[in-house]
Amino acid sequence: MLLWMIQCAAHDNAANHATARKKGQFAAIVLANTQICREHFLLTLRLREFPASEPGQFVQVLCPPPDVAVQSAEQAVAGLQEVFWEPGTRPPRFHDPDFLGSQPYLRRPFSIAGRRDDPANAVSDIDLIYRVIGKATIRMSHLVTGDSISILGPLGNAFPVPEATHTALLVGGGVGIPPMIYLADKFQRAGIKSIAFVGAQKADLIPLHITGDVGTQASSNVREFAAFNTQTVVATDDGSLGNKGFVTQALEKFCESSAVSQGVIFCCGPTPMMRATALVAARLKLPCYVSLEQPMACGMGTCQSCIIKYRSGSAEDWVYKLTCKDGPVFNSADILW
Amino acid sequence: MNISTSTAQTVAAAPDLSVQIGQMRLANPMMTASGTCGYADEYADFADLSKFGAFVTKSISKAPRKGNESYRVIETRAGMLNAIGLANIGLERFISEKIPILERMGIPVIVNVPGWCAEDYADVAERLDQELPVVQGIELNVSCPNVKNGLSFGTDPVRLAELVAMVRKRVKRATLIVKLSPNVSDVAVTARAAVEAGADCLSLVNTFTAMVIDIEKARPMLANATGGLSGPAIKPIAVYMVHRVYTQVAKAHNIPIIGMGGIQTWQDAVEFILAGATGLAVGTALFIDPAIPNKICDGLRQYLARKGHGSLREIIGTLKTD
């Protein structure tokens, strides 16, 4: 009997039954690819029979082939760091004299920022929010409605779900904010109260729609979180929006001044920001889950490059864990920061 | 004997991709390259592994290894550098946790074996050979450039011959494959040493020792400083080396070659076969698409049919150089 079940499972897999799979390779159609703020874009993709996914999971995107359009010699630039473009426009298509250097070879990982399912038609729309930082994301920024790209996913583990009486504190830094939007959606459905804390260097680097005065307290003037009945505290390093300072400082201030009972922290952002959040969590004695990012080639647990040091047994003992497969979500207390 | 009729029927049907590598009969030449495909079924959700010709595991050492610090991988033009440091769970856990999965995959399994002294190789190889029938092939990783002194066996024909001879004595059943390092002045010299010492098969190439520098920090990008270059960037060199080994050593000794190095398309695969490879391994490209071996098989069948060949074996090493 057991053998029969194993054979059935193998057959399903061989028959490429997408509905039976937990993950796989999919062709995705671009529905929209719009700039949200400086350097950040929202890419919405439509996929057929995309397996169930959870907030915290990610996809590996094969960035599109080179576009041969060449602009004027004046616009030719050698270094990616020197590509500038006007707000509301896409990065310039440029003829790179070092043209091979502009071809990404591997896929790039992006957390899922949102998902809407249409079960009747077996299609799902997923949102990816990305920051243009290099050759692959420059390519992505040129995708237009109707383009097709290859997606591997959904990959990795998910954020845990706290008890209904707990308060979820969603802490996002810069391009680490996107998975928090998807998480706010899930927690609203689960009947768990969430408060979002978002931060960036400057106001124009927050990849969210600000609909009114955010002040320094929690407000409903951040559209993406308000859509899921979640209030948002905003912080910028330079004070150009919301609280002046790091988002971790805003989080700590909020927790100390408000009667947050049984808070649970969920965090994604740059590594120094997540390390700081883990320290705040330890001081406040709150559980804290972080979604880590490490350079990875595959996302499927084979290249063994996205390692993090994970506490094991005694205080000094550790093992390497893979961010892609064992994570990306970890309890911050388990990480050897 | 009605050979002409049966040949005609074969041509009319889909071309035969099966190949013989030592004691192993493979339904098709496509394998995974060690270190790019995990231990067993990591890619099961992304590709039908039962359609691969054979599965080659990552390197399995006698004791578990944590491997190198981060960064372990860096993308380059048309490829990548890696310095994983042979991170693996060790032989005992491999046998208890992964062998049962490999037994269910239904295709020949080749285990890649690294080592830091000849006994390391021989002990692991003997255990696999004697106790684990699912392991049909043993590939000696004599060329991993990432571990201290790892170059010594694969780049020195005398030490390589001693190692292969010692392992040969203790491997009675499985096909013994020696994976050659490309980091030598003439790969035919080490190829000959391995064959004369008893190797059943040669696989080549492993990665090329290379370096990428962070110019802002004036430091190497990889924690290990150097790494192995793989991907399409190395393919033309790998094709040349396969051809060199085929013409200088393998053809005369009737030793099959498993060719690898930047294979991503069926056209790449055909180049390696014409150059003299019998088997083929896909490595770095699996990170982008684990189903590439199956897609290459489709392409090979169409190519062979278009060229009027009934079998892949008809074109091995048929490169014209006159």
Side-chain angles (χ1 to χ4, degrees):
Chain A
M1 187 61 189
L2 181 63
L3 182 64
W4 180 81
M5 288 168 65
I6 289 165
Q7 285 170 339
C8 281
H11 174 75
D12 273 351
N13 190 38
N16 217 13
H17 280 189
T19 48
R21 287 190 293 173
K22 291 198 179 106
K23 54 195 178 208
Q25 189 175 161
F26 298 87
I29 304 295
V30 174
L31 290 187
N33 187 27
T34 52
Q35 190 161 2
I36 312 170
C37 67
R38 181 159 66 95
E39 300 175 13
H40 292 71
F41 285 73
L42 167 63
L43 175 65
T44 302
L45 301 170
R46 176 156 291 179
L47 300 103
R48 289 198 65 80
E49 299 185 331
F50 190 59
S53 59
E54 295 288 343
Q57 291 193 290
F58 66 99
V59 295
Q60 280 273 49
V61 176
L62 189 57
C63 296
D67 191 323
V68 293
V70 175
Q71 290 195 333
S72 66
E74 287 73 25
Q75 286 171 306
V77 286
L80 294 170
Q81 297 303 318
E82 292 167 48
V83 179
F84 292 103
W85 66 99
E86 290 299 311
T89 67
R90 294 171 195 278
R93 289 175 176 175
F94 61 95
H95 176 67
D96 186 349
D98 185 19
F99 70 96
L100 281 172
S102 72
Q103 289 194 24
Y105 180 66
L106 300 164
R107 289 173 184 265
R108 296 292 190 272
F110 298 93
S111 58
I112 301 172
R115 173 174 179 147
R116 293 159 302 281
D117 292 308
D118 176 2
N121 295 304
V123 298
S124 303
D125 295 347
I126 65 167
D127 297 330
L128 307 180
I129 295 173
Y130 60 94
R131 183 174 186 176
V132 176
I133 59 164
K135 54 197 177 185
T137 44
I138 285 179
R139 292 281 178 77
M140 281 176 75
S141 73
H142 285 281
L143 288 168
V144 296
T145 304
D147 284 350
S148 178
I149 59 172
S150 166
I151 296 287
L152 283 182
L155 303 169
N157 67 357
F159 283 109
V161 180
E163 290 175 33
T165 54
H166 293 184
T167 302
L169 307 168
L170 314 181
V171 186
V175 82
I177 294 169
M180 296 301 146
I181 304 170
Y182 192 21
L183 195 56
D185 179 5
K186 176 169 176 172
F187 286 170
Q188 188 203 25
R189 290 167 202 257
I192 294 159
K193 180 181 164 57
S194 297
I195 302 167
F197 299 81
V198 300
Q201 288 170 295
K202 293 168 178 288
D204 64 354
L205 286 172
I206 296 179
L208 298 167
H209 291 87
I210 309 297
T211 55
D213 180 18
V214 298
T216 57
Q217 306 298 311
S219 82
S220 295
N221 287 329
V222 178
R223 190 208 291 167
E224 284 79 359
F225 288 102
F228 302 118
N229 204 24
T230 298
Q231 292 204 309
T232 307
V233 178
V234 177
T236 49
D237 296 359
D238 67 349
S240 50
L241 192 71
N243 296 274
K244 184 176 193 302
F246 295 135
V247 68
T248 45
Q249 296 168 315
L251 169 72
E252 192 160 18
K253 192 177 87 181
F254 182 91
C255 290
E256 284 168 350
S257 63
S258 322
V260 177
S261 67
Q262 296 177 301
V264 181
I265 296 172
F266 300 86
C267 176
C268 186
T271 301
M273 173 265 190
M274 289 195 280
R275 192 191 300 125
T277 305
L279 289 173
V280 169
R283 270 202 295 279
L284 298 174
K285 297 191 165 51
L286 299 178
C288 176
Y289 299 94
V290 291
S291 176
L292 302 182
E293 183 175 18
Q294 288 287 314
M296 60 180 69
C298 73
M300 296 171 279
T302 57
C303 79
Q304 305 270 320
S305 57
C306 58
I307 45 167
I308 56 106
K309 287 179 179 172
Y310 184 90
R311 292 183 197 281
S312 152
S314 63
E316 293 81 31
D317 204 10
W318 55 271
V319 295
Y320 278 129
K321 292 263 186 184
L322 299 181
T323 304
C324 73
K325 200 166 184 175
D326 304 315
V329 178
F330 295 93
N331 187 324
S332 68
D334 292 333
I335 303 300
L336 202 69
W337 289 98
Chain B
M1 285 292 281
N2 196 341
I3 293 168
S4 59
T5 306
S6 71
T7 305
Q9 283 168 346
T10 312
V11 171
D16 177 13
L17 296 186
S18 68
V19 293
Q20 187 79 27
I21 306 266
Q23 303 298 309
M24 301 182 291
R25 187 73 179 175
L26 276 53
N28 68 68
M30 302 313 301
M31 312 178 200
T32 54
S34 179
T36 62
C37 53
Y39 296 100
D41 63 347
E42 282 88 335
Y43 288 141
D45 286 307
F46 305 97
D48 185 352
L49 304 180
S50 71
K51 297 253 187 337
F52 288 7
F55 183 86
V56 184
T57 69
K58 77 193 284 26
S59 294
I60 307 298
S61 52
K62 196 159 30 169
R65 290 175 58 85
K66 278 184 173 173
N68 293 333
E69 298 262 329
S70 192
Y71 295 158
R72 290 176 167 188
V73 164
I74 187 84
E75 187 179 78
T76 63
R77 292 177 196 176
M80 56 170 256
L81 243 65
N82 87 84
I84 309 299
L86 300 175
N88 78 98
I89 58 177
L91 181 62
E92 296 308 323
R93 273 186 67 195
F94 173 74
I95 291 173
S96 63
E97 296 174 22
K98 306 300 180 185
I99 285 288
I101 303 170
L102 291 165
E103 284 172 340
R104 287 198 295 270
M105 278 168 48
I107 54 173
V109 170
I110 297 164
V111 176
N112 184 286
V113 178
W116 292 267
C117 62
E119 288 73 23
D120 284 346
Y121 288 99
D123 291 350
V124 175
E126 182 176 34
R127 186 94 190 273
L128 296 167
D129 186 61
Q130 292 189 354
E131 296 178 24
L132 302 162
V134 67
V135 179
Q136 294 191 30
I138 293 169
E139 181 179 62
L140 302 184
N141 178 1
V142 297
S143 46
C144 181
N146 300 332
V147 178
K148 201 178 173 188
N149 297 327
L151 285 178
S152 54
F153 288 108
T155 55
D156 179 341
V158 177
R159 295 197 62 194
L160 180 64
E162 287 169 5
L163 169 69
V164 174
M166 178 173 180
V167 175
R168 176 76 277 174
K169 274 187 215 138
R170 291 168 67 180
V171 171
K172 320 275 188 214
R173 171 190 57 86
T175 297
L176 183 61
I177 304 159
V178 176
K179 186 168 183 175
L180 297 176
S181 169
N183 301 306
V184 292
S185 52
D186 182 3
V187 70
V189 173
T190 43
R192 185 172 290 110
V195 168
E196 289 177 351
D200 298 318
C201 170
L202 299 171
S203 59
L204 65 154
V205 298
N206 206 322
T207 57
F208 289 80
T209 304
M211 188 186 263
V212 173
I213 291 171
D214 179 337
I215 59 169
E216 295 305 321
K217 296 178 183 161
R219 289 185 163 279
M221 280 284 194
L222 296 174
N224 188 62
T226 61
L229 179 64
S230 64
I234 70 169
K235 196 201 76 180
I237 323 178
V239 169
Y240 156 72
M241 287 187 164
V242 164
H243 186 247
R244 170 108 186 131
V245 169
Y246 180 73
T247 53
Q248 300 297 307
V249 181
K251 189 178 181 186
H253 288 80
N254 200 24
I255 292 286
I257 292 171
I258 300 169
M260 71 191 84
I263 297 177
Q264 189 154 346
T265 66
W266 66 263
Q267 292 93 334
D268 298 335
V270 171
E271 283 195 53
F272 275 89
I273 295 163
L274 294 174
T278 298
L280 302 164
V282 180
T284 307
L286 295 174
F287 294 153
I288 300 164
D289 180 1
I292 280 177
N294 298 337
K295 292 172 181 171
I296 288 177
C297 284
D298 294 341
L300 286 177
R301 282 189 200 95
Q302 287 174 24
Y303 172 81
L304 292 169
R306 178 161 57 81
K307 291 286 188 181
H309 297 293
S311 163
L312 179 94
R313 299 185 296 281
E314 294 170 23
I315 67 163
I316 294 169
T318 56
L319 182 70
K320 301 167 196 157
T321 51
D322 51 351

